[in-house]
Amino acid sequence: MNCGLNFRPTSTFTREDIEASVSGNPFEEKNRLIIRLDQVARSEELQAKLSRTDWDMVVVDEAHKMSASFWGGEMKVTKRYRLGELLGRISRHFLLMTATPTTAKKKIFRCSCALSIRTVLKVVFVEGVHEVDVSDIMRRMIKEDLRRFDGRPLFPERRAYTVNYQLSTPEQALYDSVTDYVRTQFNRAEKLLDDKRKGTIGFALTVLQRRLASSPEAIYQSLRRRRERLEKRLQEVKSLVGAPASSWSPDNQLPLFDDDDWDDFDEAPAEEAEILEELVMDAATAALTAAELQEEIAILQELEGQAFRVRHSGTDRKWEQLATIIQDDEHMVDADGNRRKLVIFTEHRDTLRYLQERITTLFGRDEHIVHIDGGLRREDRRVIEDRFRNDPDVHFLLATDAAGEGINLQRAHLMINYDLPWNPNRLEQRFGRIHCTGQTEVLSSLESGRRWHP
């Protein structure tokens, strides 16, 4: 759609705009502006400046990130939601857009609707009692309902399959050992720590267990990095002998988050989530003394050795299932016997690198594999996207959720979710990379272990 408005690179709001502002309020000095949601949502100073301006129109993309929920009969809002309230107050026209499905829970859906109303609803919804008619301010559609002018479906059919696998005895033993470690550390945090530290540690341990389910490489590397980080922390503690006990904290280098921060993290850009996840997961610990820290390091050393043996045992049931599929499944080749393009998603870079190594070994060369993760610059991602779509010799794209945002891969119609994302909306974003306008083939996806029903 061409609305006649010219947005140039200088329209993008940056830190330089703040520093160079003549009036002290950079939002007053431009008539057209593109801002990152979190840049303003996380800054009370910027919000105060923004509140002193007014706009003819505000358009929010990925508006599902401005979410709210109910807990204990009260509406719980996020920092992004509060920014949405502010934008609604300072704009004459307020347009919220998203291609990501909203949650099926009516109460949360109504909270999102509230942002579309100039006077934001300040009521407590009771299931089955309060109903809100939003038909005059919202248009909600699903892909399956969209039609061309001649009545044909705009998007092809989507089929999802689940591939189950049974862990080997060493894999099961590792799973049980790491799970026991996670449970023990979480219980310790639950008893001893304040809510913010407890939440940070709970998040770190949850990430660790998710990596356990991703691949032997992901859990091995995660345990190794965590052990090394805590050993460094122990050395720092020992160097403070004679210093006041308050001069160190097991989390003095970590951001501590409240519930709003975790809600925001759930919808954060994938590359931002990857960085924060690594930082917290490697370092957050429930240990309060040097002795407790040493005890946890000893446990991690044992787990790391166990994971190393599993990683190099040559037995990985999950990979074996994938190898069978990409070699033998009839969907992998077309009617002429040519290999079709395949997108494989994983949550973790360690697993991505592991799969790249295994697929290269399986086929004897790596020219037919490209990858995208949060560590790549956007210009590099575009180059890789172009290679995957247009180079007939590139058959596999390995990707973290960094490729689930803003990239069109409709040259492929086959996708494998090697592991499933924390937030099911990210799974829908993955589908959207190949289930988009221009796709002509029936979309087939495989998910390992279990299936999430959209």
Coordinates of all heavy atoms in Angstrom, one line a residue, residues 40-84:
V40 N 11.7 2.3 23.8 CA 10.9 3.3 24.5 C 10.2 2.6 25.7 O 10.1 3.2 26.8 CB 9.9 4.0 23.6 CG1 9.1 5.0 24.4 CG2 10.6 4.7 22.4
A41 N 9.7 1.4 25.5 CA 9.0 0.7 26.6 C 9.8 0.6 27.8 O 9.3 0.5 29.0 CB 8.5 -0.6 26.1
R42 N 11.2 0.5 27.7 CA 12.0 0.2 28.8 C 12.7 1.5 29.4 O 13.6 1.4 30.2 CB 13.1 -0.8 28.5 CG 12.5 -2.2 28.1 CD 13.6 -3.1 27.7 NE 13.0 -4.4 27.3 CZ 13.7 -5.4 26.8 NH1 15.0 -5.3 26.6 NH2 13.1 -6.6 26.5
S43 N 12.3 2.6 28.9 CA 12.9 3.9 29.3 C 11.8 4.9 29.8 O 11.0 5.4 29.0 CB 13.7 4.5 28.2 OG 14.1 5.8 28.5
E44 N 11.7 5.1 31.1 CA 10.7 6.1 31.6 C 11.0 7.5 31.1 O 10.1 8.3 30.9 CB 10.7 6.0 33.1 CG 10.2 4.7 33.7 CD 10.1 4.7 35.2 OE1 10.5 5.8 35.8 OE2 9.8 3.7 35.8
E45 N 12.3 7.8 30.9 CA 12.7 9.1 30.5 C 12.2 9.4 29.0 O 11.6 10.4 28.8 CB 14.2 9.2 30.5 CG 14.7 10.6 30.0 CD 16.3 10.6 29.9 OE1 16.9 9.7 30.3 OE2 16.8 11.6 29.4
L46 N 12.3 8.4 28.1 CA 11.8 8.5 26.8 C 10.3 8.6 26.8 O 9.7 9.4 26.0 CB 12.3 7.4 25.9 CG 13.8 7.4 25.6 CD1 14.2 6.2 24.7 CD2 14.2 8.7 24.9
Q47 N 9.7 7.8 27.6 CA 8.2 7.9 27.6 C 7.7 9.2 28.1 O 6.7 9.7 27.6 CB 7.7 6.8 28.5 CG 7.9 5.4 28.0 CD 7.4 4.3 28.9 OE1 6.2 4.3 29.3 NE2 8.2 3.3 29.2
A48 N 8.4 9.8 29.1 CA 8.0 11.2 29.5 C 8.1 12.2 28.4 O 7.2 13.0 28.3 CB 8.9 11.6 30.7
K49 N 9.2 12.1 27.6 CA 9.4 13.0 26.5 C 8.3 12.8 25.4 O 7.7 13.7 24.9 CB 10.7 12.8 25.8 CG 11.9 13.2 26.8 CD 13.2 13.0 26.1 CE 14.4 13.3 27.0 NZ 14.5 14.7 27.4
L50 N 8.0 11.5 25.1 CA 7.0 11.1 24.2 C 5.6 11.6 24.6 O 4.8 12.0 23.7 CB 7.0 9.6 24.0 CG 6.1 9.0 22.9 CD1 6.4 9.6 21.5 CD2 6.1 7.5 22.9
S51 N 5.3 11.6 25.9 CA 4.0 12.0 26.4 C 3.7 13.4 26.1 O 2.5 13.9 26.2 CB 3.9 11.6 27.9 OG 4.7 12.5 28.6
R52 N 4.8 14.2 25.9 CA 4.6 15.7 25.7 C 4.4 16.0 24.2 O 4.5 17.2 23.8 CB 5.7 16.4 26.3 CG 5.8 16.3 27.8 CD 6.8 17.3 28.4 NE 8.2 17.1 28.0 CZ 9.0 16.3 28.8 NH1 8.5 15.7 29.9 NH2 10.2 16.1 28.4
T53 N 4.2 15.0 23.3 CA 4.0 15.2 21.9 C 2.6 14.7 21.5 O 1.9 14.0 22.3 CB 5.0 14.5 21.1 OG1 4.9 13.1 21.3 CG2 6.4 15.0 21.5
D54 N 2.2 15.0 20.3 CA 0.9 14.4 19.8 C 1.2 14.0 18.3 O 2.0 14.7 17.6 CB -0.2 15.3 19.9 CG -0.1 16.6 19.2 OD1 0.6 17.5 19.7 OD2 -0.6 16.7 18.0
W55 N 0.4 13.0 17.8 CA 0.6 12.5 16.5 C -0.7 12.2 15.8 O -1.7 11.9 16.4 CB 1.4 11.1 16.6 CG 2.7 11.3 17.2 CD1 3.0 11.3 18.6 CD2 4.0 11.5 16.5 NE1 4.4 11.5 18.8 CE2 5.0 11.6 17.6 CE3 4.4 11.5 15.2 CZ2 6.3 11.8 17.3 CZ3 5.7 11.7 14.9 CH2 6.7 11.9 15.9
D56 N -0.7 12.5 14.5 CA -1.9 12.2 13.7 C -2.2 10.7 13.6 O -3.3 10.3 13.7 CB -1.7 12.8 12.2 CG -1.7 14.3 12.2 OD1 -2.4 14.9 13.0 OD2 -0.9 14.8 11.4
M57 N -1.1 9.9 13.4 CA -1.3 8.5 13.4 C -0.1 7.8 14.0 O 1.0 8.1 13.8 CB -1.5 8.0 11.9 CG -1.6 6.5 11.8 SD -2.0 5.9 10.1 CE -3.8 6.0 10.3
V58 N -0.4 6.7 14.7 CA 0.6 5.8 15.2 C 0.2 4.4 14.8 O -0.9 3.9 14.9 CB 0.7 5.8 16.8 CG1 1.5 4.7 17.3 CG2 1.2 7.2 17.3
V59 N 1.2 3.7 14.1 CA 1.0 2.4 13.6 C 1.9 1.5 14.4 O 3.2 1.7 14.4 CB 1.3 2.3 12.1 CG1 1.0 0.8 11.6 CG2 0.3 3.2 11.3
V60 N 1.4 0.4 15.0 CA 2.3 -0.5 15.7 C 2.2 -1.9 15.0 O 1.2 -2.5 14.8 CB 1.7 -0.7 17.2 CG1 2.6 -1.7 17.9 CG2 1.7 0.6 17.9
D61 N 3.4 -2.3 14.6 CA 3.5 -3.7 14.0 C 3.9 -4.6 15.1 O 4.4 -4.2 16.2 CB 4.6 -3.7 12.9 CG 4.5 -4.9 12.1 OD1 3.5 -5.6 12.1 OD2 5.5 -5.3 11.4
E62 N 3.6 -5.9 14.9 CA 3.8 -6.9 15.9 C 3.1 -6.5 17.2 O 3.6 -6.6 18.3 CB 5.3 -7.2 16.2 CG 6.1 -7.5 15.0 CD 5.8 -9.0 14.5 OE1 5.3 -9.8 15.3 OE2 6.2 -9.3 13.4
A63 N 1.9 -6.1 17.1 CA 1.1 -5.5 18.2 C 0.8 -6.5 19.3 O 0.4 -6.1 20.4 CB -0.1 -4.8 17.7
H64 N 0.9 -7.8 19.0 CA 0.6 -8.8 20.0 C 1.6 -8.7 21.1 O 1.3 -9.3 22.2 CB 0.7 -10.2 19.3 CG 2.0 -10.6 18.8 ND1 2.4 -10.1 17.5 CD2 3.1 -11.2 19.3 CE1 3.7 -10.6 17.3 NE2 4.1 -11.2 18.4
K65 N 2.7 -8.1 20.9 CA 3.7 -7.9 22.0 C 3.2 -7.0 23.1 O 3.7 -7.0 24.2 CB 5.0 -7.4 21.4 CG 5.7 -8.4 20.5 CD 7.0 -7.9 19.9 CE 7.6 -9.0 19.0 NZ 8.9 -8.5 18.4
M66 N 2.2 -6.2 22.8 CA 1.6 -5.3 23.8 C 0.5 -6.1 24.5 O -0.7 -5.8 24.4 CB 1.0 -4.0 23.1 CG 2.1 -3.1 22.6 SD 1.4 -1.6 21.9 CE 2.8 -0.6 21.7
S67 N 0.9 -7.0 25.3 CA -0.1 -8.0 25.8 C -0.3 -7.7 27.3 O 0.4 -6.9 27.9 CB 0.4 -9.4 25.7 OG 1.6 -9.6 26.4
A68 N -1.4 -8.2 27.8 CA -1.7 -8.2 29.2 C -2.4 -9.5 29.6 O -2.8 -10.3 28.7 CB -2.7 -7.0 29.5
S69 N -2.5 -9.8 30.9 CA -3.1 -11.0 31.3 C -3.8 -10.8 32.6 O -3.7 -9.7 33.2 CB -2.0 -12.1 31.5 OG -1.1 -11.7 32.4
F70 N -4.5 -11.8 33.1 CA -5.2 -11.8 34.3 C -4.6 -12.7 35.3 O -4.3 -13.9 35.0 CB -6.7 -12.1 34.1 CG -7.6 -10.9 33.8 CD1 -7.6 -10.4 32.5 CD2 -8.2 -10.2 34.8 CE1 -8.4 -9.3 32.2 CE2 -9.0 -9.1 34.5 CZ -9.1 -8.6 33.3
W71 N -4.5 -12.3 36.5 CA -4.0 -13.1 37.6 C -4.7 -12.7 38.9 O -4.6 -11.6 39.3 CB -2.5 -13.0 37.7 CG -1.9 -14.0 38.7 CD1 -1.5 -13.7 40.0 CD2 -1.7 -15.4 38.5 NE1 -1.1 -14.9 40.6 CE2 -1.2 -15.9 39.7 CE3 -1.9 -16.3 37.5 CZ2 -0.8 -17.3 39.9 CZ3 -1.6 -17.6 37.6 CH2 -1.0 -18.1 38.8
G72 N -5.4 -13.7 39.5 CA -6.0 -13.4 40.8 C -7.1 -12.3 40.6 O -7.4 -11.6 41.6
G73 N -7.8 -12.3 39.5 CA -8.9 -11.4 39.2 C -8.4 -10.0 38.8 O -9.3 -9.1 38.7
E74 N -7.1 -9.8 38.7 CA -6.6 -8.4 38.3 C -5.9 -8.5 37.0 O -5.3 -9.5 36.6 CB -5.7 -7.9 39.4 CG -6.3 -7.7 40.7 CD -5.4 -7.1 41.8 OE1 -4.2 -6.9 41.4 OE2 -5.8 -6.8 42.9
M75 N -6.0 -7.4 36.3 CA -5.3 -7.3 35.0 C -3.8 -7.0 35.2 O -3.5 -6.0 35.9 CB -5.9 -6.2 34.1 CG -5.4 -6.2 32.7 SD -6.3 -5.2 31.5 CE -5.7 -3.6 31.9
K76 N -3.0 -7.8 34.7 CA -1.5 -7.6 34.8 C -1.0 -7.2 33.5 O -1.1 -7.9 32.5 CB -0.9 -8.9 35.3 CG 0.6 -8.9 35.5 CD 1.1 -10.2 36.0 CE 2.6 -10.2 36.2 NZ 3.3 -9.9 34.9
V77 N -0.4 -6.0 33.5 CA 0.1 -5.4 32.2 C 1.6 -5.4 32.1 O 2.3 -5.5 33.2 CB -0.4 -4.0 32.0 CG1 -1.9 -3.9 32.0 CG2 0.2 -3.0 33.1
T78 N 2.1 -5.4 30.9 CA 3.6 -5.4 30.7 C 4.0 -4.0 30.4 O 3.2 -3.1 30.2 CB 4.0 -6.3 29.5 OG1 3.3 -5.8 28.3 CG2 3.5 -7.8 29.8
K79 N 5.3 -3.8 30.3 CA 5.9 -2.5 30.0 C 5.5 -2.1 28.6 O 5.2 -0.9 28.3 CB 7.4 -2.5 30.1 CG 7.8 -2.6 31.6 CD 9.3 -2.7 31.7 CE 9.8 -2.9 33.1 NZ 11.2 -3.1 33.3
R80 N 5.4 -3.1 27.7 CA 5.0 -2.8 26.3 C 3.5 -2.3 26.3 O 3.1 -1.5 25.5 CB 5.2 -4.0 25.4 CG 6.6 -4.4 25.2 CD 6.7 -5.4 24.1 NE 8.1 -5.9 23.9 CZ 8.5 -7.1 24.4 NH1 7.7 -7.9 25.0 NH2 9.7 -7.5 24.2
Y81 N 2.7 -3.0 27.1 CA 1.3 -2.6 27.2 C 1.1 -1.1 27.7 O 0.3 -0.4 27.1 CB 0.5 -3.5 28.1 CG -1.0 -3.3 28.1 CD1 -1.8 -4.1 27.3 CD2 -1.6 -2.4 29.0 CE1 -3.2 -3.9 27.3 CE2 -2.9 -2.2 29.0 CZ -3.7 -3.0 28.1 OH -5.1 -2.8 28.1
R82 N 1.9 -0.8 28.7 CA 1.8 0.6 29.2 C 2.3 1.6 28.1 O 1.7 2.7 28.0 CB 2.8 0.7 30.4 CG 2.3 -0.1 31.6 CD 3.0 0.4 32.9 NE 2.7 -0.5 34.0 CZ 3.5 -1.5 34.4 NH1 4.7 -1.7 33.8 NH2 3.2 -2.3 35.4
L83 N 3.2 1.2 27.3 CA 3.6 2.1 26.2 C 2.4 2.2 25.2 O 2.2 3.3 24.7 CB 4.8 1.5 25.4 CG 5.3 2.3 24.2 CD1 5.6 3.7 24.5 CD2 6.4 1.6 23.5
G84 N 1.7 1.1 25.0 CA 0.6 1.1 24.1 C -0.5 2.1 24.6 O -1.1 2.8 23.9

